[in-house]
Amino acid sequence: QVQLVESGGGLVQGGGSLRLSCAASGRTFSRYAMGWFRQAPGKEREFVAAITWSFGNTYYADAVKGRFTVSRDNARNTGFLEMNSLSPEDTALYYCAALIRVGPPPLVSFWGQGTQVTVSS
């Protein structure tokens, strides 16, 4: 079974930047794409970004396009989400996931544990 371990969350000021990491262990990640999702208090979980493992094609939600960048290191089975120009509206629990299909809609095989991102005003 694939296990995803996230790190890099924390507290940042508005306008600041943060980089999240998602390390996959247990087996190769080549059969999946890596997706990123977030869930704010009182809101539904929403898609943020994704990257395919073979070709590195990237996909972004309109709310983060131009501010967030998704990347991956195939040799280390690790994905990254770089977040810039952060605002309080970006405050949420962020989850990485192994995707069988990017979509629409994305099809999730396995979730990471989540990491908290808090942006102060």
Side-chain angles (χ1 to χ4, degrees), residues 43-84:
K43 295 185 177 181
E44 299 291 324
R45 186 172 299 187
E46 64 175 334
F47 171 80
V48 174
I51 184 169
T52 65
W53 227 244
S54 296
F55 300 103
N57 297 323
T58 57
Y59 307 84
Y60 298 94
D62 290 341
V64 306
K65 194 172 298 182
R67 298 189 298 121
F68 290 12
T69 302
V70 64
S71 61
R72 92 291 197 207
D73 185 333
N74 302 63
R76 291 191 290 159
N77 282 342
T78 302
F80 306 94
L81 182 68
E82 183 179 358
M83 304 179 292
N84 301 309

Side-chain angles (χ1 to χ4, degrees), residues 79-91:
F80 306 94
L81 182 68
E82 183 179 358
M83 304 179 292
N84 301 309
S85 301
L86 288 165
S87 69
E89 288 71 31
D90 296 311
T91 294

Side-chain angles (χ1 to χ4, degrees), residues 1 3 11 19 32 59 61 72 80-81 90-91 95 112 120:
Q1 183 65 253
Q3 185 176 22
L11 174 65
R19 189 168 99 150
Y32 303 107
Y59 307 84
R72 92 291 197 207
F80 306 94
L81 182 68
D90 296 311
T91 294
Y95 299 87
S120 62

